[in-house]
Structures are given as structure tokens and as C-alpha cells.
Amino acid sequence: MDKFAFIHILAGSTFGLILRLFIKYNFKINQGTYYNNTLIVNVLSSLFLGICVALSPTNNNFLLLFSVGFLGCLSTFSSFIYQLFNLIQKRKYLNLIFYYIEVFVLSFLFFSLGYFIILILKN
């Protein structure tokens, strides 16, 4: 990896982290599942990734900046896994199953939504 690729990933991840922390500390929603902030950022990341895939940019620097850096840091896979682990430790197996399904289904639906919106707008 060259130094410019590294700089693009670093810049994108910085903004992804800032947005994730902004959502974490400013959108404390206590409806639905216990872990709504993680769900919000994962769904937003999936939507943006669907849009990025549909646009199919050929600029490698943009892909590194946006999809690898920004979206990679915005999404919270490690937080998701940690929250699943906490639910196992608390023996809340039903909550674990619902949370797992909720995150994956909504993330997939929003990825598809972003992808198909761009395809529709292109035509």
C-alpha cells in the first residue's frame, strides 16, 4: 500500500469515527432494542455502502477514502459483537437472537435500498 492510499484511509476513518461518536452521544434512543445507537450507525453504513456500490466509482482513492476508511470506521462491527457477548453473559438469549436478526436484516434492507435507489435514479 502506498502512502497516498494510507492517507485516504486515515482521512476517511477520522470522519467516520467523528460521525459515529456524534451519533453515539447525541441520539440516545431507548425505544426498541437496548442497543439502538449501534443499530443506527450500522444501518446508515449499509445504506451508504449500497449507494457506493451502485455508483461503482472507478476512482480507487475515493473507494479507499469512503468505503474502506469512512464506512469501515463508521460501522461498529466490534461493538455489535461485544453487545452480543454481553447478552450471552446476561443469559438474555431471546434478546440476543432478536438483536442479531434485527441488525442483519435491517442492514441488508438498507444496503439494498441505497443500491436500488441509485439504480433507479441512473435510469
Side-chain angles (χ1 to χ4, degrees):
M1 180 183 327
D2 65 5
K3 64 181 174 183
F4 292 110
F6 180 74
I7 291 170
H8 282 94
I9 293 170
L10 182 62
S13 63
T14 301
F15 290 111
L17 174 64
I18 290 169
L19 181 58
R20 179 167 36 115
L21 292 175
F22 177 79
I23 290 170
K24 178 180 179 180
Y25 292 113
N26 291 304
F27 294 98
K28 298 190 182 215
I29 303 169
N30 292 325
Q31 299 171 349
T33 63
Y34 177 71
Y35 302 107
N36 274 321
N37 291 343
T38 301
L39 179 64
I40 290 169
V41 295
N42 285 334
V43 166
L44 279 176
S45 296
S46 297
L47 176 70
F48 294 149
L49 185 60
I51 290 169
C52 185
V53 168
L55 290 172
S56 58
T58 56
N59 185 337
N60 192 38
N61 291 331
F62 176 78
L63 287 173
L64 290 174
L65 176 87
F66 188 72
S67 59
V68 176
F70 180 75
L71 293 178
C73 203
L74 176 64
S75 64
T76 57
F77 184 74
S78 57
S79 295
F80 171 65
I81 297 302
Y82 178 69
Q83 291 162 351
L84 291 177
F85 181 74
N86 280 338
L87 290 171
I88 289 172
Q89 282 186 321
K90 294 176 183 176
R91 299 177 188 223
K92 295 185 175 186
Y93 302 113
L94 193 57
N95 287 352
L96 171 103
I97 292 168
F98 285 129
Y99 180 61
Y100 180 85
I101 292 171
E102 180 181 45
V103 169
F104 276 99
V105 168
L106 286 175
S107 294
F108 179 76
L109 289 175
F110 273 79
F111 175 89
S112 300
L113 177 69
Y115 182 82
F116 289 117
I117 285 174
I118 295 301
L119 288 184
I120 290 169
L121 292 176
K122 277 184 171 180
N123 292 328

